[in-house]
Amino acid sequence: MKTVSSSAGATVLRWMLALVLIWAALGKIANPHEFHTAILAYRIPLPEVLSRTAAIIIPWLELLCGLILAANFRRHAALFWAFALFASFTIITGQAWARGLQIHCGCFDLRILGLTKDSSISTALESPLFAVIRAAVLATLAFFLIRREARGER
Amino acid sequence: MMPSSPTAATLRDAALIFLAATVLGIAYNAVSPLGVQRPPAPPQTTTATSAHPVPLTPRSRGIQNETLSITIEESSEPTPKANPPASVSWAETKALIASGVATLVDAREQLAFAAGHIPGAISLPMNSFEAQAGAFAQSHPKDKTIVVYCASSQCSISRMMAQALRDRYGYKDVRDMPGGYAEWRLTERAADSPDESAGAQK
């Protein structure tokens, strides 16, 4: 019984990660230029070509991983990427928060929640502090699922 | 043939996912009107005058599907929210610039400006507004129409800056172009397409 509920819990977590990845991807795919400027706003000392490449590839990586996790097909690799992405986001948003950068994280399109650009909720959800907490939680969930799969549990 | 280990299979799948994302990303970016562009070299700051006319296009399109992020520093955030500045579309703005009436101000961060901006725009980043607004006010007459834009309809710093220029620096006619850089990209992309260009010349 415990195994069944544990498996159901893992499925729910996998679906949750899938939805988050797809949601994050769609907003970025809709406007790659904006995602690029979001990356630039983090002021990471990266060559321009790398930030441009990241803006082009990351949204599609998120989308593919989200779809693969939802479809439960080759999910090991998708979980690997999900962890890598969320861990990277944790570091990037964490350094922005530590440096006191007042930026919108560029993570999600909040219009789907009916939030306007000026709302205080929108500002809070897109703040570096909330973004780093959210990314860390999601990275932890992905890591948990990877460990679970490594133990042979489904 | 030996079956591959789970780790090797996972790495192979991960590489395939990355490859697929790369191909899709590059292909989509090539056709997207809001795709990432190679930055103009060298980055330049210019003024919107009749020396830099902006061609008119017959219509502007609404903005869809954009997302945004932009730097906002609290210290530079102007205060009052009441009496917001008038909003203008890119089509209206273009007419104002072409007639030499308006100065176009890009409120985004300098890096975003360098990555691409509307021709003729002046960079006045919101995150260094306090430091640069004084010099801007000294070099641009108060009776000039100022149009401020940021990234897209998802950002609000253009409205905040327009309010600050009006309320704190005495500009009489300051307008917000809420569609921002994304509206310009979409509109000009549409205008650049062969059939619409032909229509614009009629």
Side-chain angles (χ1 to χ4, degrees), chain A residues 13-128:
Chain A
L13 285 182
R14 181 166 50 78
W15 268 92
M16 198 177 79
L17 285 179
L19 286 175
V20 167
L21 284 165
I22 292 169
W23 178 22
L26 291 179
K28 293 166 187 154
I29 287 171
N31 193 337
H33 176 80
E34 288 303 333
F35 183 47
H36 183 217
T37 59
I39 293 173
L40 294 175
Y42 281 98
R43 299 179 203 177
I44 306 164
L46 278 179
E48 194 279 332
V49 68
L50 277 186
S51 65
R52 196 153 27 103
T53 305
I56 291 170
I57 296 175
I58 286 175
W60 289 92
L61 201 52
E62 289 178 327
L63 182 65
L64 287 178
C65 289
L67 293 174
I68 289 169
L69 285 176
N72 199 19
F73 172 72
R74 295 184 189 275
R75 64 179 185 276
H76 298 74
L79 281 174
F80 164 80
W81 274 119
F83 173 72
L85 287 168
F86 290 132
S88 303
F89 296 158
T90 304
I91 294 167
I92 292 165
T93 52
Q95 65 86 29
W97 173 69
R99 291 164 66 192
L101 297 181
Q102 296 296 320
I103 59 175
H104 285 195
C105 79
C107 308
F108 298 100
D109 184 352
L110 296 174
R111 285 173 302 176
I112 199 170
L113 300 178
L115 295 173
T116 62
K117 61 185 181 182
D118 299 325
S119 72
S120 56
I121 298 175
S122 181
T123 303
L125 290 178
E126 285 281 280
S127 69

Side-chain angles (χ1 to χ4, degrees), chain B residues 82-170:
Chain B
N83 192 15
S87 295
V88 287
S89 67
W90 166 240
E92 294 166 306
T93 302
K94 190 187 302 187
L96 289 171
I97 294 170
S99 61
V101 171
T103 297
L104 189 59
V105 172
D106 188 321
R108 301 174 302 158
E109 194 174 88
Q110 182 63 45
L111 285 168
F113 182 83
H117 59 268
I118 301 176
I122 295 170
S123 177
L124 181 57
M126 194 59 178
N127 57 9
S128 55
F129 181 76
E130 298 298 332
Q132 295 187 27
F136 174 87
Q138 284 181 353
S139 57
H140 294 84
K142 298 289 190 293
D143 56 353
K144 185 98 173 173
T145 297
I146 306 290
V147 179
V148 188
Y149 74 89
C150 53
S152 74
S153 62
Q154 279 292 287
C155 67
S156 54
I157 55 173
S158 58
R159 183 182 52 76
M160 293 191 294
M161 183 180 288
Q163 246 174 267
L165 287 171
R166 183 195 61 194
D167 298 342
R168 292 168 48 191
Y169 289 90

